[in-house]
Amino acid sequence: MTPTKQKIISAAIYLFNEHGLANVRLQQIADEVGISIGNLAYHFSTKEIIVCTAFEPLQDKFGEVLQLYSLYPNLLDLDVQMSKLFTILKEFKFCFLDLLEIQRSYPELYHVYQNFVSKLGIQLKKRIEFNQKREILYTHIAPHTYQQLTQAIILSITHWVSQETLSGETYLQEKKFREAIWFYLKPYLTEKGQDEFHALIKPLFL
Amino acid sequence: MPFRMSAAAYNSLLESLDNLHFIEKKGQSKDLTFLADDWWLADTVVIEYLTYRRGMWEIHLIFAHYRQPCKLLKRIITTTYCPKKAEITAKLMRKLAAKDQRGTLHLDEDDYGFMKN
């Protein structure tokens, strides 16, 4: 990608995050970069192309998050993944704020997002099973509890940015996000799990 | 077309990854002793040896330690119908297998200390 194209995409992502996907016009992007609308049209003829190109680095980052599975054989694994995921939430806020808009106007991009979320869901499920085998999470609990827990965590991730924006938070805090995820899992930690949590995860929040 | 994996396949892939944690054990230093066991082969003289057996010329390579000639290893490399081809192949195989490409390692029958009386 040429430096001008890169600048356009960076400006577009910034504007999408600030004003929302639907509210940004090509003229605004051109003004942000400091080029004429004609010059912008030379590089990207439509807004759709800009959105699709802006999605490419996001797709790579989704891949990077999924690659973090099974990096550590303990609870740190989830924390590291959530930390990485938070950088995406922050950098590509618009993707999570304008999900419905993406679904309606850019179904292919929504499919990319959906694919990521479904894989993340499977990873969460498998991670819970793995920690059950390690006796870190309780095994004898009501059926489907962990399934619902996985759903709740995914919901939290998906709507975290919207929730924070609606509650008037202008600055997204990573600590708060990670704490919210651990809040779901903490009640299901066994004694061994609690020890591991206090040894590995708690120091990260101090 | 991007690579797509079904949920079931992805599920079993992660399952296998998780299982590695329970199955895999840390290696021990003795696991690599087989490498050290073969180090003597670096100091061997490679000798080609042809035998005629069941209508075929068998090419053998003998790896003998240049200080302790009785420590040797013999391997059948290949077989061929033509004695001339067997000779050429044996020569090539010897050159290929010899660790000492300059051919400075040498063995002769005196090194074995045979009684000649």
Side-chain angles (χ1 to χ4, degrees), chain A residues 2-13 15-16 24-51 53:
Chain A
T2 61
T4 313
K5 277 192 173 180
Q6 191 59 56
K7 271 186 202 167
I8 295 168
I9 294 302
S10 303
I13 292 172
L15 290 169
F16 293 153
V24 177
R25 291 174 294 116
L26 288 178
Q27 183 66 59
Q28 279 172 284
I29 300 173
D31 291 345
E32 183 67 28
V33 185
I35 57 173
S36 69
I37 185 86
N39 195 352
L40 178 75
Y42 169 76
H43 292 288
F44 296 102
S45 52
T46 60
K47 186 177 157 185
E48 196 181 346
I49 300 174
I50 295 181
V51 175
T53 316

Side-chain angles (χ1 to χ4, degrees), chain B residues 37-49 59-66 68-77 97 99 107 112:
Chain B
D37 289 348
D38 283 347
W39 280 342
W40 70 274
L41 280 170
D43 296 324
T44 50
V45 180
V46 186
I47 304 155
E48 74 266 34
Y49 178 65
I59 300 162
H60 300 245
L61 285 184
I62 301 163
F63 300 82
H65 195 270
Y66 80 109
Q68 300 159 269
C70 288
K71 191 174 182 179
L72 55 85
L73 194 76
K74 189 179 155 202
R75 289 280 180 271
I76 299 172
I77 305 298
K99 298 279 187 294
L107 264 185
Y112 286 92

Side-chain angles (χ1 to χ4, degrees), chain A residues 66 69-70 73 111-112 115 119 122-123 125-127 129-130 133-134, chain B residues 2-8 10-12 14-15 17-19 21-22:
Chain A
L66 294 175
Y69 185 81
S70 200
H111 185 70
V112 169
N115 193 27
K119 279 191 176 160
I122 296 173
Q123 286 199 352
K125 198 181 123 210
K126 297 310 288 181
R127 202 176 260 127
E129 281 174 19
F130 173 67
K133 279 185 205 165
R134 284 177 61 231
Chain B
F3 173 73
R4 296 256 183 272
M5 188 186 266
S6 71
Y10 193 61
N11 209 40
S12 59
L14 297 182
E15 179 92 42
L17 262 176
D18 289 340
N19 284 343
H21 174 74
F22 301 105

